[in-house]
Amino acid sequence: MKNKKKWVYFFGQGKAEGQATMKELLGGKGANLAEMTNIKLPVPPGFTISTEVCDYFSKNDHSYPEGLDEEFKANLEKLEKTSGKKFGDASNPLLVSVRSGAAVSMPGMMDTILNLGLNDKTVEGLAAKSSNERFAWDSYRRFIQMFGNVVKNIEHKVFEHELEKVKKEAGVEEDKDIPADKLKKLVASYKVAFKEKTGKDFPQDVNEQLADAVKAVFLSWDSERANKYREINKITGLLGTAVNVVAMVFGNMGDDSGTGVCFTRNPSNGENIFYGEFLQNAQGEDVVAGIRTPQPIAELEKVNKKIYDQLLEVRKILEKHYKDMQDIEFTIEKGILYILQTRNGKRTANAAIQIAVDLVKEKFLTEEQALLKVDPEQLNQLLHPTFDPKVKYNVIAKGLNASPGAAVGKIIFNSKKAEEIAMNGEKVMLVRAETSPEDLGGMHTAQGILTARGGMTSHAAVVTRAMGKPCIVGCSAVSINEEAGTCKIGLKEYKEGDYISINGTTGEIIDGQVPLVQPDISQGNFKVIMDWANRFRKLRVRANADTPKDCETSLYFGAEGVGLTRTEHMFFEGDRIIAVREMILAEDLESRKKPLAKLLAMQKQDFKEMLKIMDGLPVTIRLLDPPLHEFLPRTEEDLQAVAKELKVDIKKLKAKNESLHEFNPMMGHRGCRLGITFPEIYEMQAQAIFEAVAELHKEGIKVFVEVMIPLVGMVTELVFLKKRIKKIADEILKKNNADVPYKIGTMIEIPRAALTADIIAAEAEFFSFGTNDLTQMTFGFSRDDAGHFLGDYKEREILTTDPFVSLDVQGVGQLIEMAVKKGKSVRKDLKTGICGEHGGDPKSIEFCHKAGLEYVSCSPYRVPVAILAAAQAAVKENLTKK
Amino acid sequence: MKNKKKWVYFFGQGKAEGQATMKELLGGKGANLAEMTNIKLPVPPGFTISTEVCDYFSKNDHSYPEGLDEEFKANLEKLEKTSGKKFGDASNPLLVSVRSGAAVSMPGMMDTILNLGLNDKTVEGLAAKSSNERFAWDSYRRFIQMFGNVVKNIEHKVFEHELEKVKKEAGVEEDKDIPADKLKKLVASYKVAFKEKTGKDFPQDVNEQLADAVKAVFLSWDSERANKYREINKITGLLGTAVNVVAMVFGNMGDDSGTGVCFTRNPSNGENIFYGEFLQNAQGEDVVAGIRTPQPIAELEKVNKKIYDQLLEVRKILEKHYKDMQDIEFTIEKGILYILQTRNGKRTANAAIQIAVDLVKEKFLTEEQALLKVDPEQLNQLLHPTFDPKVKYNVIAKGLNASPGAAVGKIIFNSKKAEEIAMNGEKVMLVRAETSPEDLGGMHTAQGILTARGGMTSHAAVVTRAMGKPCIVGCSAVSINEEAGTCKIGLKEYKEGDYISINGTTGEIIDGQVPLVQPDISQGNFKVIMDWANRFRKLRVRANADTPKDCETSLYFGAEGVGLTRTEHMFFEGDRIIAVREMILAEDLESRKKPLAKLLAMQKQDFKEMLKIMDGLPVTIRLLDPPLHEFLPRTEEDLQAVAKELKVDIKKLKAKNESLHEFNPMMGHRGCRLGITFPEIYEMQAQAIFEAVAELHKEGIKVFVEVMIPLVGMVTELVFLKKRIKKIADEILKKNNADVPYKIGTMIEIPRAALTADIIAAEAEFFSFGTNDLTQMTFGFSRDDAGHFLGDYKEREILTTDPFVSLDVQGVGQLIEMAVKKGKSVRKDLKTGICGEHGGDPKSIEFCHKAGLEYVSCSPYRVPVAILAAAQAAVKENLTKK
């Protein structure tokens, strides 16, 4: 044999060449058909053409690999033998279904053809064999319709039009009432339509039919629809689809036949009842198409108790076998049950945790295994308010689902106004072209944020995710006319003060007020899952918290400390920004002292409040990080206002703005670089921190503060700053007789810091990986600009996942592993954690576990997600070891 | 003993505790005094307080380490014993000099005190002992003056004023003619002045004098002057200065005494003659101060042949011992010769190569050793035109010496005008606020460039260095009024068309036209050195060349190929920019084809010309790298002009500009990211390259082209582009029956590329390290913005060298070594080189040699520097092995 690769896998008569673990190769459907065959469930025989053929097909100008043809023929012969029928045989024809099936379920995306193998001759054979002429011709006309549509792209309406004509002629309402002779006529007119549209006769050669159908499935893998679906659902790394060629069984052979879809448990709430629906005398497509209304599955017991009991048995076998809730398709052909498909059923977050808890109670799963059955990402659904599921509403536009949760509020265009109005107890929806740090006040008070511009990592998106506040960004359907106090969303014009609702989980914008439902995570299944997760995980989970409120939220969600406090966020609030601007505009150290003193008092109060809430838990405080120009106004109007407020010459303000301008601010004068050029700023912050610590110590609060220096690339930076901070800390603690432990450490967010981690660890008492910046520098991608090409990159499969969403293990991960290893080589008890956005991403958390970090830190609302993901990482490791 | 550290090192009577190799610890002066003592040269005895004491002193609030005091006293006693005199003894006083001396010579920066140990009593002892009252009191008054000035910061003029008064009284012109009694009076008035200025009596306690003097030396290490000097001369990493306390010898004890400074060879041209000058009856300071005119050293033979012969003998011994030209200070005390100092003499580039060649001829050195005697950086002096050294001129302003060489031309403010005027054969000096890529045409035609703004890595600086064209940047004394056609430089106003001259080597701007002298490097000592260097080096040296002219220059200077052709530089010339802009403004692929076709023809012609010149040598061509917005105009005026020229709506042009705007362009849509979103651009370039290759092949030219893909961070980028380029290349070569080898490789300039070099090398046939960008990303420094803090970083010793000038071995170097190792692990014959600015920096070249790269590539004018540096790296390695 020239080619030893196996391309086709047979299943039938209780034996299959594939199995459930071969999803990558056979697709989900093919692998499960094989598995079900192996466990002796009644599956019609067939064979699966592997995804590798699809891959070859895509890469080789739609040609097939060598050896496929022979294998294909051999399998078809085997299928004929097994079924006792012959493909294209006029007297005893084998009919098949041709269905796609990739490793990941993509419902509705790939196309299916049923009844293939029918032609003018075999239709007669089918009629004779089934003693049902009507059924035979109905199958034929369905086949022509599907084949014409799927393979030849003939619009449905062409066939529907003919069907309607015939129904009128016959004087019937429903398809099933069309008599056989009219169906024959319909087939004839379908064939005419087929020729009109394609210029060719409908193929009578069954092998041509089959070849065309297989090719259509492979082509559909690369269709725009399928590509779009994969893009939206972030499905990447697949070879392609498999093609399943399965002997037909018919649910439409009379009232002793039927078809249905069911779940082994309720997918909405997880209740342990058999759930689903069926249609008598129908083919699968009838259920899907929704033309006839199916009956609840319980009704089947009355119709056919034997089959129903058999189905219950299948349900039991499948749940026991797959140890998970299953989504099953079945067909009854003349009183015989066939299982056409099984797969793990999709479920809501509520159902997921209910089922996981039940499966443990029922002893199907251990607690560890059950933890793996809940998608951490899905937990999000349970942490935010949602629209009342009982209420119907109209979506007026869609944007990017930047931060999950639902919110309702009055449209307000300006952050200051938002603050004012919220003060009166009104609910505000902040609607802006985009947000900047100056909008923080307004964002804090708003129920939700909607922006016309920006992507998933824009300012609005990042900040709201951290706040746990619903947000939709990049909604191009929004256009704001701030002067007129109006905006257009989709087709409707709104005035400031009008209500809208947004669903940050889906990106939907809804007219008016939709009632909300608040989550409760402190009891029930959620608590059970969290308790298990806390038992098994090794990683500690902290939260990124900038305010006392954030701290409270963090504790509520189970955080074990604060992993990142961005002190600059405190700089924007209220009249602090004035002091900050005074500080920036000060010409020398002397005149800088006054505004610094103001800030000192305010920061100290902030720290006291936060540290008090976090009593007994560690809190990492990052010293000032962003470049100073972020604190200055930008627009002419704001410049005027600020110049007036600060009583400075606007020219001076502009000159300062200009002198602070940077070509690449991301790599500019920020982080510890500011701390080195203006040591007085970090000194003020150190003083605020340790005075707060000393005072709280007197109150009996247990404080574990970790002072974090950002953007370190060279140990000399750390040495310079640590010395100054330590001096202040020790003086204050000594003066107050406060023997309180504290740590001074650094972020690792510059590649050079990771590369020289052994040198830096000699000075740093902890490393916190700032994976946002580390990703930027390692890739050389500016997060703000990468949108210019990331779309093309994903489309061309240069990148499979956005490295800002899920940590790039190969590159950035390599640096992290290197830094942990080097760091611990010189300081055994070096504490390591991660505080970038990746700290809340399940895949990234799994990496952190493997890399041996001590903790992850994420936004408060993602803490439960991180807890579960951390537990899953530990469980996976344990299971591998076993 | 509590403290085992040794702080003080004695020398005297032919035996020393130190030696020449201990410069770091004892400073150059101290180490050489010890060395000379050991080789039995007549050195006055003394001891050296190590630089570690200075380091301790700086870091511990000007206190001294434990144990120093005892050691100091012990050494002073030893000195008394050796000299047979006693410190502070009225009858036989020991006098000492106290001098600074760091590991690197810092002339004029540190202060010296002579005659220390004199007071009202010991002066009498000295008078008696020397039988020379005048000498004793003269020494005393000099001591008070120096001590007052150096230790107490009393201005010189205070003492000069008293001196003048006394000279007037005595009716004498010269200091040496003041009689003893007047000197006594002078001492009295010096003491009064001392008390007036300091509030304290001049110290009579000799131990107090010594302690104060030592402290003054240590303090002077941290003086502003010294810091400034080190900053300017990039002297970093030193512990501090040592202090040398040496028994005084006197050159001012009569006509049988004297002092002098000499070089063992001529430091201007390297001629092997004894060179220097001396003064009879004088102390060293008289020579330095320039009050009396010294005599040529040859005259000494007539004055005192014995001493002269002895000096010649010392000259021989020292040259033989140090194997290098020496700079010697000596004193003759009553007919006895003392050598006070020796060090390697500073010399001009011409002298350096002359001496190196001679020392080999004289068999002092091997060729390998001789190569180490020439500073590669200094070679630069010989590669550029210089001002005629015979002509005197007036410097009107100074800026940053961005690109070496001298130039003369007419002031022109506008690049287009510069091109026009140069076309008429006029010499142009382009004077601008700053330059941008649009100025390339003007810069090419100008003799030199002067900008008011920008730093050492500004556009003007980087481009002119690459062009080998003199350039001064950041000259704040220049203010341009382009509308009026005038500019002010320093205090003088110039009109467009007026002549100025600039010296890019020094940063000096000169009024009018200074005559130039052209270098000739093709013969003489320069050629000898280059021949040796070529023999010993292992690294190949290529040039970065963007034009045929660059290629010719590269070959002239000895380049062995082109390591970097920046194709985008070709995009700016003449009317090409129009086609480029048409390409950028094209809405779709179809309308992009026309301008691309225009560019194709032009690029092909460029490549043909360059590859023809480089016949037989490899040429690396980098595909388009900068972001597209660099090709669009910026100012309103230019936008108007371009809109008109291209016949596009100015709104469209502005919209395009805005859509291309990036927050951090350095990390934005450039390099291969452009190639991926617009594959047609790279395809056009590939077509141009290989059509040129095919046509040249027919002409019998040997072409070795290496296509380089910039900014690769993921192997998938390379796979995507390589496939397309290879397809085009193979088709063209096949069609033309041209069996020409070529390579496709990548720049390694993104940290992730280095980290995943093993994966990338599977696709890349060569790696060229783009160390400019790699440094930016590894440090997270934007080169354009780092100026905001690099000053503070250097001042605070956070950074010792600018990583953009000399490669950061610890961080960036680590990535390079990693990439080379990983890359070669999967592709043994992987070619590796460097093409960033570091390719011309001697220290960085040494690293490249050690890291096992195959070649460095630098700007054409730095090729000889690189050749020598490469040879030195190889020689150092050989010498270490031996």
Side-chain angles (χ1 to χ4, degrees), chain B residues 21 42 64 148 152 219-220 232 261 264 280 287 371 373 413 488 491 493 501 515-516 546 562 598 610 681 753 795:
Chain B
T21 53
Y64 291 110
K152 302 295 178 187
L219 284 173
S220 77
I232 291 168
V261 174
T264 56
Q280 252 180 301
V287 182
L371 281 173
K373 296 290 176 189
F413 301 122
K488 211 171 165 184
L491 299 169
E493 179 111 358
S501 306
L516 298 182
D546 302 337
V562 168
K598 282 192 215 169
M610 291 178 64
I681 299 180
E795 198 174 294

Side-chain angles (χ1 to χ4, degrees), chain A residues 659 663-664 666-667 673 676-677 716-717 752 778-780 782 785 788 792-793 796 798 808 814 822, chain B residues 659 663-664 666-667 673 676-677 716-717 752 778-780 782 785 792-793 796 798 808 814 822:
Chain A
S659 80
F663 294 98
N664 298 287
M666 188 54 64
M667 308 164 85
R673 300 166 195 173
I676 286 166
T677 51
T716 44
E717 294 169 320
R752 197 179 185 284
T778 305
F779 276 85
S782 157
D785 303 312
H788 281 122
D792 288 326
Y793 266 46
R796 288 163 194 190
I798 306 285
D808 161 52
Q814 190 183 146
K822 286 188 172 191
Chain B
S659 81
F663 294 98
N664 298 288
M666 188 54 65
M667 307 165 85
R673 299 165 196 174
I676 286 166
T677 51
T716 44
E717 295 169 318
R752 197 179 186 284
T778 305
F779 275 85
S782 158
D785 303 313
D792 289 325
Y793 266 46
R796 286 159 196 193
I798 306 285
D808 161 52
Q814 190 183 145
K822 286 189 172 190

Side-chain angles (χ1 to χ4, degrees), chain A residues 21-42:
Chain A
T21 53
M22 291 160 75
K23 277 190 186 173
E24 294 285 325
L25 189 65
L26 304 181
K29 196 173 285 163
N32 280 330
L33 283 170
E35 186 77 8
M36 288 194 294
T37 303
N38 283 331
I39 60 171
K40 318 295 177 198
L41 289 182

Side-chain angles (χ1 to χ4, degrees), chain A residues 353-654:
Chain A
I353 61 177
Q354 178 74 54
I355 291 169
V357 170
D358 283 351
L359 287 176
V360 171
K361 278 190 201 149
E362 295 161 28
K363 305 218 186 288
F364 278 125
L365 298 179
T366 63
E367 291 166 357
E368 279 179 283
Q369 289 167 332
L371 282 172
L372 298 178
K373 296 291 176 188
V374 182
D375 176 7
E377 204 54 68
Q378 228 186 353
L379 280 190
N380 239 329
Q381 286 178 26
L382 306 177
L383 306 177
H384 296 277
T386 49
F387 290 148
D388 185 338
K390 283 168 248 142
V391 176
K392 293 227 161 179
Y393 49 80
N394 279 327
V395 175
I396 51 171
K398 262 191 103 170
L400 297 174
N401 50 339
S403 179
V408 180
K410 285 183 170 178
I411 295 172
I412 299 294
F413 302 123
N414 175 295
S415 285
K416 276 201 184 137
K417 196 160 178 191
E419 287 184 74
E420 286 162 27
I421 293 200
M423 208 94 82
N424 303 333
E426 302 257 32
K427 290 188 188 265
V428 165
M429 182 70 61
L430 186 64
V431 179
R432 289 189 60 78
E434 60 199 343
T435 64
S436 75
E438 291 177 66
D439 292 316
L440 277 177
M443 293 168 80
H444 256 301
T445 54
Q447 301 297 311
I449 286 99
L450 167 62
T451 74
R453 289 209 284 270
M456 294 298 277
T457 52
S458 62
H459 178 264
V462 173
V463 171
T464 50
R465 278 201 291 275
M467 291 178 176
K469 189 156 291 205
C471 176
I472 296 174
V473 300
C475 180
S476 51
V478 172
S479 64
I480 303 169
N481 185 341
E482 207 178 325
E483 259 171 58
T486 61
C487 73
K488 211 170 164 185
I489 306 177
L491 300 170
K492 193 170 168 185
E493 179 110 0
Y494 289 86
K495 285 196 299 291
E496 205 161 29
D498 288 346
Y499 274 104
I500 54 169
S501 306
I502 65 169
N503 185 346
T505 314
T506 60
E508 290 167 337
I509 303 157
I510 297 104
D511 186 47
Q513 304 182 60
V514 183
L516 297 181
V517 181
Q518 296 296 332
D520 182 4
I521 61 159
S522 60
Q523 53 186 18
N525 292 323
F526 194 96
K527 193 174 176 303
V528 174
I529 295 284
M530 283 295 110
D531 287 348
W532 292 346
N534 284 328
R535 185 128 45 81
F536 291 112
R537 74 188 157 92
K538 284 180 192 153
L539 274 172
R540 296 206 160 264
V541 176
R542 300 197 196 177
N544 301 343
D546 302 337
T547 62
K549 183 153 178 286
D550 286 349
C551 288
E552 278 161 5
T553 314
S554 305
L555 288 181
Y556 174 70
F557 283 124
E560 299 167 287
V562 168
L564 175 64
T565 296
R566 284 156 290 215
T567 48
E568 60 270 18
H569 280 190
M570 306 170 177
F571 278 23
F572 284 104
E573 279 179 23
D575 51 356
R576 294 173 179 206
I577 187 74
I578 299 173
V580 174
R581 285 168 177 166
E582 280 170 0
M583 174 188 86
I584 294 171
L585 290 165
E587 297 284 352
D588 50 39
L589 184 57
E590 203 48 46
S591 43
R592 206 171 290 127
K593 275 185 183 164
K594 217 175 107 188
L596 278 173
K598 283 192 214 168
L599 287 170
L600 171 66
M602 297 188 271
Q603 288 240 298
K604 182 174 152 187
Q605 193 52 35
D606 290 329
F607 293 141
K608 270 189 81 170
E609 284 174 34
M610 291 179 62
L611 292 170
K612 197 165 185 174
I613 294 167
M614 300 307 292
D615 187 0
L617 296 174
V619 174
T620 309
I621 299 174
R622 181 177 74 182
L623 302 183
L624 190 69
D625 184 52
L628 295 182
H629 55 72
E630 282 200 8
F631 299 99
L632 292 184
R634 267 163 247 186
T635 63
E636 181 65 28
E637 202 186 335
D638 289 347
L639 280 162
Q640 296 274 7
V642 168
K644 210 172 152 190
E645 194 169 15
L646 297 184
K647 297 189 187 77
V648 294
D649 188 354
I650 187 151
K651 272 188 206 152
K652 185 180 165 189
L653 191 58
K654 282 184 181 172

Side-chain angles (χ1 to χ4, degrees), chain A residues 65 145 164 225 306 336 338 351 455 472 512 527 607 644 649 692 768 807 825 871 880:
Chain A
Q145 188 168 349
E164 287 309 312
R225 269 204 314 174
K306 197 191 112 210
I336 299 170
Y338 292 98
I472 296 174
K527 193 174 176 303
F607 293 141
K644 210 172 152 190
D649 188 354
S768 177
L807 196 120
S825 76
T880 322

